[in-house]
Amino acid sequence: MLRWHRMAAVLAAILLIWVSFTGTVTQLADMRALVTHAPETDPDMLMMRQHIPGPPNYSVVSAPDYTAPALPAGTDYGASIAKAAALGRAAAPGQDLRLVEVRGAEGKLVGHVQMGDKQLAFDLADGAPLPDRFVPPPQPGRDFKSTRSTWKSFHRFLFLPWGTTINFLAALGLAALIFTGLFHYAKLYKARAKIGRGGLWWKGGDWWRTLHRWIALGASVLVIWLTLGGLALSLDNMGSSLHQLIGGPRAPGAFDGDQSKPMTDAELAPMLATTLKAYESAYPGTGIKVLRLRYFVGYPQGVIVAADKDSSQRVFNARTGAAMKMWEPGYPDLSFPTGWDLHQKLKQFHRGDLFGLGGRWLILFAGLSLVYLSLSGVWMWFQLYRKRRGNGRKELFWK
């Protein structure tokens, strides 16, 4: 098993060093933004939240919403929605009403509407039009640049055709190293325990080897966590690439483009009533930051940004009250085999934020451990190979 461990380490060395280093730098960029409480408009903060609530044309929650307070408890949503729609129709006569929402911004109760392709905002207190900064900004696109996005691109080999396949190979190599390494450790431990040396950590060889053994054992659960997340993500990304290769590119408008349709004034009140009833039933006592009514690929929807710790986006069928996901019949084909929701959860699991800031720190430690294990493993192999070569034994892999 030790021979297989060395073989996997040598064959996958460059990939593992690359993936572990770039992934750790990406995590460090995230931690810098989180620990320093960077503003919501910070490029790394924006990219961390990109796509979690859905593609840009589906997502409602925007950067200012994460720190915005809940709308006042006595807000009359019916009157506010009706007033916003009326102001929109007056400002853009002859244009279709595509969305209408109520949100808070800079201490004002804001009505935001889309009339045709125009985005308009109004102060609902006096009906005055508001400048463009009151229109919620869209999610950053795939070309948006930040420290995080740059290193993530390196980490996923996005600069190469079928880079996701390389990610998958790196994850397989790491899985092989974990299995063979732990198997070898268990064998050594069993032998030592027979002679009364039952300590889990022991010194043996130089400090490169001792620290390699100690870190490998101490961080094993975290490295397995990191590897499982990366393996699952790479499989899902490969499935997406394969799906596009076989079935053609993603449908136009899947990640952008307008998927709405016109709404009539008569629809607004019943859509609102159904949405509020469903939200209050599912999340009793939870405040509201944003409430939007719209159609999305033919579904009447009420979308609420909840006043919870994550500013979660909740989507309801505004006709039936059923909770809706980001992967429904008739939605644009986003090509991930697991669906959009689970793909985003896999990303959060892989980088640790599915378990809060504590999970982030654990994954950072796992990444740093993996960087050391990759470098020290290569160095130890080189030391042993050079010594064996001096004795006339030139095999690259040995027991």
Side-chain angles (χ1 to χ4, degrees):
M1 193 59 69
L2 181 57
R3 181 180 185 180
W4 287 106
H5 185 71
R6 288 173 178 150
M7 185 182 297
V10 171
L11 293 177
I14 295 176
L15 279 181
L16 291 178
I17 291 171
W18 177 278
V19 169
S20 61
F21 178 75
T22 56
T24 300
V25 175
T26 303
Q27 186 79 333
L28 283 169
D30 288 358
M31 295 303 292
R32 189 276 314 168
L34 292 169
V35 171
T36 62
H37 302 287
E40 301 303 326
T41 53
D42 178 85
D44 290 328
M45 193 69 79
L46 287 171
M47 292 306 288
M48 262 189 279
R49 291 176 168 140
Q50 184 194 39
H51 293 158
I52 289 178
N57 57 351
Y58 183 87
S59 176
V60 171
V61 61
S62 62
D65 299 328
Y66 289 102
T67 52
L71 295 173
T75 300
D76 186 338
Y77 291 104
S80 298
I81 288 288
K83 185 172 184 177
L87 289 168
R89 292 196 186 279
Q95 297 293 315
D96 294 325
L97 177 66
R98 296 279 177 166
L99 71 83
V100 56
E101 74 176 11
V102 180
R103 61 170 51 240
E106 300 182 21
K108 302 177 184 295
L109 186 63
V110 177
H112 166 223
V113 297
Q114 180 183 339
M115 304 300 300
D117 59 357
K118 295 179 181 179
Q119 303 285 337
L120 304 171
F122 303 92
D123 186 337
L124 292 179
D126 58 12
L130 294 171
D132 288 345
R133 73 174 187 274
F134 285 90
V135 173
Q139 281 194 35
R142 285 172 285 177
D143 297 330
F144 186 82
K145 298 300 181 186
S146 70
T147 302
R148 179 185 203 279
S149 61
T150 298
W151 284 99
K152 183 180 177 182
S153 177
F154 291 148
H155 182 64
R156 294 183 57 199
F157 297 91
L158 295 182
F159 52 90
L160 295 174
W162 281 81
T164 52
T165 304
I166 302 176
N167 257 148
F168 176 67
L169 294 175
L172 282 182
L174 184 54
L177 283 172
I178 292 171
F179 174 75
T180 55
L182 289 176
F183 188 94
H184 179 63
Y185 171 85
K187 187 176 180 180
L188 286 176
Y189 177 79
K190 184 177 179 180
R192 288 175 59 83
K194 285 184 178 179
I195 58 175
R197 299 179 181 179
L200 292 175
W201 286 273
W202 65 86
K203 294 181 180 179
D206 61 13
W207 275 106
W208 280 100
R209 184 178 297 275
T210 298
L211 285 177
H212 186 90
R213 185 183 300 118
W214 288 1
I215 292 175
L217 179 62
S220 59
V221 173
L222 299 180
V223 172
I224 290 171
W225 169 6
L226 187 65
T227 304
L228 287 176
L231 187 59
L233 269 176
S234 62
L235 277 171
D236 209 33
N237 286 323
M238 279 180 60
S240 174
S241 298
L242 185 62
H243 177 81
Q244 293 176 61
L245 181 67
I246 296 173
R250 292 185 179 98
F255 280 87
D256 47 29
D258 192 350
Q259 298 286 346
S260 66
K261 78 170 198 176
M263 294 188 295
T264 65
D265 290 343
E267 291 179 281
L268 301 181
M271 288 175 68
L272 175 64
T274 300
T275 300
L276 288 175
K277 181 179 179 181
Y279 181 72
E280 290 165 3
S281 175
Y283 307 99
T286 305
I288 295 174
K289 292 186 177 184
V290 181
L291 192 155
R292 176 180 294 188
L293 301 178
R294 69 177 183 195
Y295 274 88
F296 186 78
V297 289
Y299 289 101
Q301 293 184 340
V303 186
I304 290 177
V305 177
D308 57 19
K309 65 181 183 66
D310 297 318
S311 297
S312 308
Q313 177 172 303
R314 309 297 182 185
V315 183
F316 300 92
N317 186 311
R319 184 171 293 123
T320 67
M324 299 192 74
K325 302 298 184 183
M326 290 179 277
W327 191 265
E328 300 277 356
Y331 275 21
D333 183 3
L334 299 176
S335 74
F336 294 112
T338 60
W340 188 272
D341 303 70
L342 183 53
H343 184 79
Q344 301 308 311
K345 292 296 183 185
L346 287 174
K347 288 199 294 187
Q348 292 179 287
F349 176 81
H350 183 53
R351 66 194 187 202
D353 59 336
L354 192 63
F355 306 100
L357 189 60
R360 283 281 199 170
W361 282 112
L362 291 174
I363 287 296
L364 178 59
F365 176 72
L368 291 170
S369 300
L370 192 53
V371 170
Y372 176 79
L373 291 172
S374 301
L375 292 172
S376 61
V378 170
W379 178 247
M380 288 188 300
W381 176 87
F382 178 73
Q383 285 180 313
L384 288 170
Y385 176 74
R386 185 173 59 179
K387 184 176 180 180
R388 287 173 59 83
R389 186 178 177 85
N391 295 327
R393 292 177 289 180
K394 300 180 181 180
E395 305 96 333
L396 289 175
F397 311 110
W398 62 90
K399 294 182 180 181

